[in-house]
Amino acid sequence: MRHVAPRLLILLMGLSLLVSGCVHRIHVDPPSNGPTTMTIPLDAQLDVPFLAIEGADHMPGIPMLDWPAKDLRQAIIHYFAERQTFRTIGSDPADIKMVVKAWLTLRAPDRYLYRVHLEADLSYTGQGAFKTYAAEGEALGSSVRWITASDQEPIDEATSQALQQLAAQIEQDRDRILSTNSR
């Protein structure tokens, strides 16, 4: 009976290490490659209602990903602020609202393939969306996912590609966005 308590304690400690070691906590902060020449002179409010994760990480024994929508929201705010796509961007009410829905898909044909898909709706306060944008980025990872960095780096790269596409599309529509505002 005296040997049961130490064994149970060792088992619980091992299980705790196993469970905590099987979650890859993701944080992205993609650089914007500098300011744009097409700043939209409006303040933007960003909302990221969800970040869906789909793929190979949901199989038994495979490390899970923990990438909260809050982290992606902060990365998008930082990216667009650094790029200066809008006069300002944040989570407070503003001239224009940008709602970004996000999906991360993970496939493992040989090496892991990470795909980040973003859909952004732009609207003015109290109005429906007047334009929807879609952008995507993808990156190859390693053939195994032993450590968080094996997920972190390709997710950051795919997110960076998707944000570059999204920002370029929005900046290209600068005149349309401003003319929609004046109606």
Side-chain angles (χ1 to χ4, degrees), residues 94-95 97 123-129:
D95 304 321
K97 185 171 186 175
S123 62
Y124 286 100
T125 306
Q127 299 178 11

Side-chain angles (χ1 to χ4, degrees), residues 1 11 18 28 37 50 52 69 99 104 112 114 125 136 139 141 162 173:
M1 204 55 154
L11 179 64
L18 181 64
V28 297
T37 59
F50 70 85
V99 177
L104 167 66
Y112 281 93
Y114 299 78
T125 306
E136 202 163 84
D173 272 357

Side-chain angles (χ1 to χ4, degrees), residues 154-165:
I155 291 172
D156 198 47
E157 182 181 331
T159 303
S160 179
Q161 291 173 19
L163 287 174
Q164 286 174 12
Q165 283 181 20

Side-chain angles (χ1 to χ4, degrees), residues 38-117:
M38 304 288 287
T39 298
I40 299 168
L42 297 171
D43 299 324
Q45 175 186 6
L46 176 70
D47 183 23
V48 180
F50 70 85
L51 167 57
I53 300 175
E54 171 195 326
D57 69 316
H58 294 288
M59 296 173 8
I62 302 293
M64 295 292 289
L65 289 173
D66 179 27
W67 187 23
K70 181 180 177 180
D71 180 75
L72 178 60
R73 184 179 66 243
Q74 288 304 104
I76 294 171
I77 287 172
H78 181 257
Y79 181 89
F80 277 90
E82 191 177 272
R83 188 171 170 124
Q84 299 175 5
T85 299
F86 300 101
R87 184 172 45 217
T88 64
I89 186 166
S91 55
D92 295 329
D95 304 321
I96 196 166
K97 185 171 186 175
M98 181 167 62
V99 177
V100 177
K101 299 170 190 140
W103 292 264
L104 167 66
T105 55
L106 180 59
R107 301 286 181 255
D110 178 29
R111 292 172 59 189
Y112 281 93
L113 176 67
Y114 299 78
R115 181 172 289 130
V116 173
H117 179 82

